[in-house]
Amino acid sequence: MRYFANAPADEKAMLETIGAKSIDELFASIPKEIRFNGKMNLDPALSEMELVQFFNELANKNTYTNMTSFLGGGMYHHFVPSHVDQLVLRSEIYTAYTPYQAEIAQGTLQTIFEFQSMITMLTGMDVANASLYDGATACSEAVLMADRVQKKRSKVIISGLINPQFREVCDTYMSHLDLQVVTIPQDSSGRTDLAATVEAIDDNTSCVLIQSPNFLGSIEDVAAFAGVTHKKGAMLIVSMTEPINMGLVKSPGELGADIVCGEGQSFGIPASYGGPGLGFFATRDKFVRQMPGRLVGKTKDVNGKDGFVLALATREQHIRREKATSNICTNQGLFMTMATIYLETVGKVGIKKVAELNLQKAAYLRQKITSIKGVEIPYQSPYFNEFVIRVRKPAASVLAELEKKDIVGGLDLGRFSDDWKNDILVCATELTSKADIDRFVTELEVLA
Amino acid sequence: MYPDDLRYSEDHEWVRLEGDVATIGITHHAQEALGEIVFVGDLAESGDEVEKGDSVGSIESVKAVSDVFSPLTGEIVEGNENLDDSPELINSDPYGDGWILKVKLSDKSELEELMDSAAYQEFLKEND
Amino acid sequence: MRKLGETGLKISEPVIFERSRPGRFAYSFPKADVPEIDPSEVLGDLVRDEVPGMPEVSENFIIRHFVRLSSWNYGIDTGMFPLGSCTMKYNPKINEAVARNNGFLASHPLAPEHLVQGNLELLWRLAEALKEITGMAGCSLQPAAGAQGEFTGIRMIRACLEKKGDPRQVVLIPDSAHGTNPASAVLSGYKVKEIKSGPDGCLDPKAVEEAMDETVAAIMLTNPNTLGIFEDKIKEICDIVHAKGGMVYMDGANLNALMGKSRPGDFGVDVLHMNLHKTFSTPHGGGGPGAGPISCVAELEPFMPTPVIAKDGDVFRLEFNRADSIGRVKGHFGNFGVLVRALAYILAMGPDGLERVTELAVLNANYIRARLKDTFHLRYTGSTMHEVVFDDKIQKEETGITTMDIAKRLIDYGFHPMTVYFPLIVPGAMMIEPTESESKESLDAFCDAMVAISHEAEKSPEVVKEAPHLSRIQRLDEVAANRNPVLKWQPE
């Protein structure tokens, strides 16, 4: 095997030094009755050539990638500049370990520091961590953190319009706690019902969790939610699946959020069938000791040279064990690096440009669809790059027809609620061309 | 290093009684074992009722964290606010400016269960 | 004196924000091909002026920035990385290539199943392989990393016991366990009870028997344990736990020592996680991503996270409706890109290759033990599997040099340090795991360096105490970083 280093003679010499006759002797500590003596029933080894062929064949079965897609709903197709991938293919970046040995991990540490800095800038918050697994787990960690901060409160209020997967993961992570969970319904504008939220918040409420833009693509009135939440001393968590919006839309931090978290895949990372992306997580300084995940801080070495180290590590499992703020160890380091390169590439001006492009494409798509008879746009709220359209037949059947024209016409919301069975969530990004949109609209018109 | 006028617990806290209020801190040995202290957190608040053995705070160095256990039962009357900005006081002056909490005792007899300086030093030797 | 140039090969590089100048840019987007609107038409007063502080640099700055930063890092491709428990093995390049196939990268996780059959087949094949390697009936690829696998597994045990009528309250964890174990147990709603390791560093069946009662939901153990020793009473321990209605969770961090030699499913484990970024060669990426699939016995299979990948004839599909499932632990299907790489590794190895991986990992660890046993103290002397844990007892007593000093001095010799001060049952632990990737030459060079450092400790201890000397940066002030944390860049 080409990944093994030694020749038979080396092995022989090593066994001699050890004082063993055979390699098998080294396994003598495994009791005979639990030794596996057969051969594992696995496919025989493939050469590198065969591997390429094997994976090509599998990838070719994904006919999706040859189609025109309007899918969003949690992960997004964006343009990734070539150098993002070229840079992370440097061995010193992708074959490094977690930067516990600071003297030989300054590259990783400084990258994390820059990432943390840019996440605070984008979200309008004070402090951000070095990433969590994904948006769904970041959201769950946010609820758990609010529960730690608000020790004596046990009610959690969650918008019914956060991404359904975020909600499912939250439910799993909250299941061991004795929490009262209240779900807030949507209002007629496709946003979380503010009046119902006000009614639900009480002195026992630890946090209110909303998503903006929400699962229907509508931008929530974050400031209003912050007002009603803080009035009762609770914390406002704002999650999101499409963080590019923050290049153009006022940040949740500016509008009063206490925790901002979400999925960072849009920052230079391909959708890659749902992962890896990264979870980002930001909060206020006063809560930093309750934060989950790794943090990097700036300091100096013995010679007075600037450098970076892991900071506030006593929050973490390897030190505080069962009292840690989270069980997370491995995070999404390499994809955080990709996000960092991406964000530095688009920079202050580009983040706004790409956000504007998304909005322009979505606005055009929306305007074209408005002209189709039989297709309705049910919600009139601010949006970013996705929104809901309502058709006269079940969404699934319309989407199936569109597939015949090589169009994946969005996400069938009927998968998530019977109330939405005629609804399709459509998304346009900077990658969506006018020609794509025109063709989609033409085909939709025929079907509707 | 272990003043004679204090009492000591097996969890390495010291106690100084003035009237019915006990001042609590951690011993020289404990601060040395922890190393340079960077943060004092989770301190019990004034008015909290605590039982002997309850965790009333935590002390952190860079790579370790240790709970502070109340050596006595009573009501918290004051926490050392200077530790917020200067946790290193626990290193530099553990029995003075590095005090942690003041507790109004409900049962002075609990004090008898704590060690005097000589007994504590013997305890340290045994557990070395 | 003003420095000219960029000071040799250890080039300084400020944080990117200090390179920022208005007017520099690295982005390249086309003009909108649709009629443009004013964003405020849609967003009203929610339009943001700018993101203050974001850098403005050109592409050339970004390239040099990251190339320079990367040169301050040590990776597996730089040299030997003997981090115990972390299994820093070679990351094959073909894995990177196949994972970047556009058919995978450009596929959307919400695409209809019939349009992504390749992805589903890939997931199914990997799950089947992991079941076979661990001797288990079910496998979920959803957990994003080892710690999440632990949470998933313990949560499944909880759900299973709950269904039987009582989730119980306690999880037993040996004192030699990874810190994630107790943290994951607590996250699943359990109290942790620590079990003291026996005098040989292994779990004592008697201690387990004493701790085991009807309040105990599970034991979480690691095998081989964190000393690199196979728990030879494992079967007996599993029987004790099962007899009282408890279940056995195995931390599979050390699966690299078992493949083809012994299977957790055959020695009584009910559920375990695997770290694909350890045993199955996917890159650590400077901290992640990993993947922490779990595999489990048939009894626990109904409780796995949803969705589960199923196969009907030649068609693959996702099962969402499973009444007993614990629900989701992560969005979508796990860290898919990591799963692609792991399958590439398994296929490149085949069954014989994987068994050989185990053999060579164990041979290499035993070779290091043989070469260093006369220089460093070995607290626990049981048979070494894939890693060996020495400590600093001799050097500390004779010269005052500690494990941390030795670790830092190794950097000057061109090696990444070993894992230090873990497991906690070995004071001053130095946990060394060479993996199968290392050649005899590199093992010899490492052992020579360790012996040389021990000599230095006697003759010139200050050289060791002040190490590293040859890295770009020397020991950092961690106390200042924690007393007054500076966690982001701010304009001066």
Side-chain angles (χ1 to χ4, degrees):
Chain A
M1 176 65 213
R2 63 191 181 283
Y3 308 152
F4 301 147
N6 283 326
D10 300 318
E11 275 181 47
K12 202 163 157 262
M14 289 165 73
L15 282 170
E16 268 166 31
T17 304
I18 295 166
K21 288 193 187 66
S22 68
I23 289 183
D24 198 51
E25 223 178 281
L26 304 176
F27 288 86
S29 61
I30 305 180
K32 276 204 178 62
E33 65 275 18
I34 56 171
R35 266 291 287 267
F36 179 73
N37 294 311
K39 182 167 161 173
M40 291 185 285
N41 182 19
L42 298 170
D43 293 331
L46 297 181
S47 66
E48 183 161 343
M49 245 166 68
E50 291 164 313
L51 279 175
V52 171
Q53 208 171 359
F54 175 86
F55 283 97
N56 275 341
E57 280 169 21
L58 273 185
N60 289 341
K61 292 182 187 170
N62 291 335
T63 47
Y64 171 82
T65 54
N66 304 321
M67 300 165 77
T68 303
S69 173
F70 294 85
L71 269 180
M75 288 234 152
Y76 303 88
H77 296 301
H78 287 292
F79 180 74
V80 181
S82 318
H83 63 261
V84 174
D85 196 44
Q86 290 183 24
L87 285 170
V88 294
L89 267 173
R90 284 189 69 86
S91 285
E92 302 89 331
I93 294 176
Y94 88 92
T95 77
Y97 189 68
T98 305
Y100 290 124
Q101 296 291 345
E103 295 89 344
I104 46 173
Q106 283 297 304
T108 301
L109 287 162
Q110 184 169 325
T111 304
I112 296 173
F113 184 79
E114 293 178 7
F115 172 78
Q116 289 175 180
S117 302
M118 288 188 290
I119 293 297
T120 64
M121 294 164 188
L122 285 160
T123 56
M125 302 301 282
D126 299 330
V127 54
N129 72 13
S131 80
L132 298 170
Y133 305 133
D134 69 356
T137 61
C139 213
S140 309
E141 292 275 16
V143 173
L144 296 184
M145 180 176 130
D147 182 62
R148 285 194 297 278
V149 171
Q150 309 260 14
K151 273 179 216 144
K152 287 164 188 162
R153 298 174 173 222
S154 60
K155 184 170 172 182
V156 172
I157 294 174
I158 302 181
S159 158
L161 296 181
I162 71 165
N163 184 288
Q165 294 197 4
F166 283 25
R167 177 58 194 264
E168 285 176 57
V169 176
C170 281
D171 285 344
T172 311
Y173 272 81
M174 290 188 298
S175 61
H176 70 289
L177 296 170
D178 200 11
L179 297 176
Q180 184 195 352
V181 183
V182 178
T183 306
I184 305 293
Q186 69 179 82
D187 65 13
S188 60
S189 71
R191 293 189 290 184
T192 309
D193 192 328
L194 184 64
T197 309
V198 172
E199 210 164 293
I201 304 179
D202 57 20
D203 294 334
N204 188 37
T205 304
S206 67
C207 64
V208 174
L209 164 59
I210 60 171
Q211 177 178 315
S212 184
N214 66 28
F215 184 56
L216 303 179
S218 311
I219 294 173
E220 298 278 6
D221 187 350
V222 174
F225 280 92
V228 302
T229 303
H230 293 155
K231 204 168 163 189
K232 291 284 183 184
M235 292 166 72
L236 179 66
I237 303 168
V238 178
S239 74
M240 62 185 74
T241 55
E242 178 44 294
I244 297 269
N245 89 81
M246 291 184 292
L248 186 60
V249 181
K250 275 187 184 155
S251 70
E254 195 179 339
L255 301 171
D258 299 289
I259 300 174
V260 182
C261 59
E263 174 60 53
Q265 173 265 329
S266 286
F267 295 146
I269 299 167
S272 187
Y273 206 48
L278 71 121
F280 65 89
F281 192 104
T283 187
R284 304 284 179 196
D285 272 336
K286 62 180 168 186
F287 303 127
V288 66
R289 301 236 166 217
Q290 290 298 340
M291 260 183 119
R294 221 167 265 150
L295 284 166
V296 168
K298 191 178 172 196
T299 187
K300 290 192 186 302
D301 79 351
V302 289
N303 303 316
K305 215 173 194 179
D306 280 346
F308 300 88
V309 288
L310 293 175
L312 308 185
T314 48
R315 296 166 300 111
E316 295 181 67
Q317 49 74 30
H318 62 281
I319 295 176
R320 206 174 282 232
R321 299 175 79 86
E322 68 261 34
K323 290 182 178 167
T325 55
S326 166
N327 67 335
I328 192 168
C329 180
T330 294
N331 59 20
Q332 302 289 110
L334 190 68
F335 289 73
M336 176 225 68
T337 303
M338 292 172 78
T340 306
I341 299 169
Y342 178 85
L343 287 171
E344 293 179 2
T345 299
V346 294
K348 186 191 267 182
V349 180
I351 189 72
K352 186 157 193 172
K353 275 202 190 290
V354 66
E356 273 175 1
L357 264 177
N358 277 260
L359 181 70
Q360 304 288 5
K361 305 275 183 163
Y364 178 71
L365 174 62
R366 194 168 161 116
Q367 179 236 316
K368 294 293 275 188
I369 285 175
T370 314
S371 66
I372 306 177
K373 277 203 186 101
V375 180
E376 190 197 336
I377 294 183
Y379 308 123
Q380 306 303 322
S381 295
Y383 58 91
F384 177 60
N385 67 359
E386 54 187 341
F387 54 90
V388 176
I389 65 174
R390 185 165 290 164
V391 290
R392 280 188 232 172
K393 300 174 236 178
S397 67
V398 173
L399 289 169
E401 288 302 313
L402 285 167
E403 265 177 36
K404 293 178 186 160
K405 308 284 180 185
D406 287 338
I407 294 170
V408 178
L411 180 61
D412 169 13
L413 291 180
R415 278 165 67 173
F416 306 95
S417 163
D418 285 342
D419 295 340
W420 294 339
K421 69 177 188 312
N422 286 16
D423 292 359
I424 301 171
L425 181 67
V426 294
C427 173
T429 72
E430 76 280 9
L431 288 176
T432 316
S433 70
K434 179 171 178 295
D436 292 338
I437 294 172
D438 290 342
R439 194 166 76 84
F440 175 44
V441 170
T442 308
E443 297 297 344
L444 197 57
E445 202 157 17
V446 175
L447 293 169
Chain B
M1 271 192 285
Y2 302 100
D4 288 334
D5 59 329
L6 307 182
R7 307 287 282 186
Y8 300 88
S9 78
E10 291 188 0
D11 295 316
H12 310 287
E13 284 94 19
W14 57 261
V15 174
R16 177 184 293 124
L17 191 67
E18 285 157 311
D20 58 353
V21 173
T23 304
I24 295 168
I26 65 165
T27 65
H28 168 76
H29 169 83
Q31 66 83 17
E32 199 173 54
L34 271 166
E36 292 186 78
I37 290 162
V38 299
F39 184 70
V40 178
D42 304 325
L43 277 192
E45 289 165 24
S46 296
D48 286 358
E49 300 282 342
V50 295
E51 301 244 343
K52 181 177 174 178
D54 282 357
S55 172
V56 289
S58 64
I59 301 182
E60 298 181 8
S61 60
V62 173
K63 287 186 172 122
V65 52
S66 175
D67 276 328
V68 182
F69 297 102
S70 179
L72 300 159
T73 303
E75 183 193 327
I76 305 288
V77 290
E78 196 182 343
N80 185 354
E81 287 174 5
N82 290 334
L83 298 179
D84 290 352
D85 292 327
S86 309
E88 64 275 15
L89 289 172
I90 293 177
N91 294 121
S92 59
D93 191 8
Y95 304 111
D97 290 344
W99 66 276
I100 297 170
L101 286 166
K102 293 189 181 183
V103 184
K104 189 175 172 187
L105 298 191
S106 25
D107 178 6
K108 275 196 198 176
S109 72
E110 275 184 357
L111 213 62
E112 307 295 312
E113 296 162 32
L114 299 174
M115 293 174 274
D116 65 15
S117 173
Y120 179 64
Q121 290 182 58
E122 193 57 34
F123 171 77
L124 287 180
K125 257 185 225 155
E126 280 167 25
N127 290 280
D128 189 21
Chain C
M1 194 182 84
R2 189 164 163 243
K3 282 185 195 138
L4 301 172
E6 304 269 11
T7 71
L9 286 174
K10 292 174 186 171
I11 295 173
S12 290
E13 177 66 12
V15 290
I16 196 84
F17 311 103
E18 292 175 19
R19 300 278 197 207
S20 182
R21 305 280 184 278
R24 285 181 180 160
F25 66 95
Y27 62 84
S28 161
F29 294 111
K31 273 213 172 82
D33 56 356
V34 296
E36 292 186 59
I37 56 156
D38 182 339
S40 65
E41 283 177 39
V42 175
L43 298 171
D45 60 1
L46 287 173
V47 176
R48 183 179 197 170
D49 294 336
E50 63 169 24
V51 184
M54 286 281 283
E56 296 179 80
V57 292
S58 55
E59 187 170 317
N60 357 18
F61 279 105
I62 288 169
I63 306 307
R64 283 199 180 144
H65 184 66
F66 285 98
V67 170
R68 287 172 180 188
L69 290 189
S70 75
S71 75
W72 305 345
N73 271 2
Y74 191 101
I76 302 158
D77 292 349
T78 315
M80 185 169 160
F81 217 123
L83 265 185
S85 216
C86 303
T87 316
M88 299 297 284
K89 62 172 70 178
Y90 174 62
N91 304 150
K93 306 309 157 194
I94 179 66
N95 299 1
E96 296 306 309
V98 298
R100 281 169 170 79
N101 189 309
N102 194 56
F104 301 131
L105 282 189
S107 54
H108 194 287
L110 295 169
E113 290 162 26
H114 59 275
L115 301 181
V116 285
Q117 282 291 300
N119 291 340
L120 294 179
E121 180 177 345
L122 189 153
L123 294 172
W124 185 84
R125 281 175 179 268
L126 178 61
E128 289 300 304
L130 295 177
K131 276 151 65 172
E132 173 64 16
I133 292 166
T134 55
M136 289 290 185
C139 175
S140 169
L141 303 171
Q142 202 176 89
Q148 210 188 24
E150 293 170 13
F151 169 62
T152 306
I154 294 292
R155 195 65 199 73
M156 284 163 55
I157 289 174
R158 186 181 183 94
C160 179
L161 294 176
E162 220 155 34
K163 201 172 181 201
K164 288 180 183 170
D166 179 11
R168 303 189 173 193
Q169 297 92 44
V170 177
V171 169
L172 305 178
I173 300 181
D175 52 7
S176 57
H178 297 111
T180 47
N181 290 184
S184 301
V186 167
L187 189 58
S188 315
Y190 287 113
K191 287 199 186 76
V192 172
K193 189 165 168 190
E194 197 172 85
I195 306 251
K196 278 210 169 5
S197 303
D200 56 353
C202 291
L203 266 176
D204 178 359
K206 272 204 200 100
V208 175
E209 184 135 43
E210 273 163 30
M212 192 63 213
D213 59 28
E214 268 74 30
T215 67
V216 175
I219 188 168
M220 278 182 106
L221 44 79
T222 308
N223 192 27
N225 63 27
T226 56
L227 297 166
I229 300 172
F230 191 91
E231 294 277 358
D232 59 354
K233 306 275 182 357
I234 183 76
K235 191 91 185 2
E236 196 182 336
I237 289 164
C238 294
D239 289 345
I240 292 168
V241 174
H242 289 146
K244 293 268 171 71
M247 302 193 100
V248 179
Y249 183 91
M250 186 178 116
D251 181 328
N254 296 340
L255 193 64
N256 209 39
L258 295 182
M259 290 186 292
K261 297 297 182 191
S262 187
R263 304 196 304 176
D266 299 339
F267 55 68
V269 169
D270 295 299
V271 52
L272 76 150
H273 79 260
M274 295 146 269
N275 304 80
L276 301 190
H277 47 298
K278 297 181 182 179
T279 307
F280 298 99
S281 86
T282 72
H284 279 73
I294 56 98
S295 65
C296 62
V297 293
E299 188 185 5
L300 285 172
E301 206 260 3
F303 302 95
M304 295 197 308
T306 47
V308 168
I309 290 106
K311 182 173 188 268
D312 299 323
D314 292 336
V315 177
F316 298 87
R317 63 182 169 82
L318 294 163
E319 261 179 32
F320 287 93
N321 294 320
R322 290 168 59 98
D324 290 332
S325 167
I326 61 165
R328 267 186 186 283
V329 296
K330 188 193 174 296
H332 310 297
F333 318 104
N335 277 331
F336 180 77
V338 177
L339 305 175
V340 180
R341 290 166 173 86
L343 181 62
Y345 181 72
I346 291 170
L347 289 171
M349 286 296 172
D352 299 330
L354 289 177
E355 186 170 351
R356 194 78 180 125
V357 164
T358 295
E359 291 176 350
L360 296 179
V362 171
L363 175 68
N364 281 356
N366 275 283
Y367 183 68
I368 288 180
R369 174 172 169 164
R371 283 228 34 209
L372 294 182
K373 69 178 189 317
D374 297 332
T375 310
F376 294 93
H377 179 248
L378 193 61
R379 187 179 175 113
Y380 296 103
T381 53
S383 295
T384 287
M385 298 284 287
H386 66 300
E387 65 195 359
V388 57
V389 181
F390 289 103
D391 59 71
D392 60 1
K393 187 165 185 277
I394 298 170
Q395 287 69 25
K396 203 174 169 184
E397 277 169 14
E398 289 176 6
T399 68
I401 292 298
T402 65
T403 286
M404 187 54 78
D405 301 324
I406 295 166
K408 296 298 184 193
R409 185 62 176 150
L410 264 178
I411 294 171
D412 289 334
Y413 281 88
F415 296 96
H416 192 283
M418 68 294 270
T419 294
V420 293
Y421 300 104
F422 183 81
L424 305 177
I425 58 170
V426 180
M430 293 187 273
M431 187 191 211
I432 303 168
E433 178 180 12
T435 83
E436 73 280 6
S437 303
E438 295 306 323
S439 63
K440 181 171 181 293
E441 287 97 315
S442 64
L443 299 175
D444 280 330
F446 172 76
C447 293
D448 291 346
M450 288 291 284
V451 172
I453 293 169
S454 173
H455 289 165
E456 286 175 342
E458 286 164 27
K459 297 203 179 76
S460 44
E462 67 290 348
V463 175
V464 184
K465 273 210 160 80
E466 287 161 19
H469 303 274
L470 301 176
S471 51
R472 190 189 143 267
I473 219 153
Q474 272 70 59
R475 288 196 199 187
L476 289 143
D477 188 349
E478 296 190 85
V479 172
N482 282 282
R483 276 194 186 147
N484 299 301
V486 178
L487 303 174
K488 65 176 174 190
W489 177 82
Q490 275 174 315
E492 305 213 333

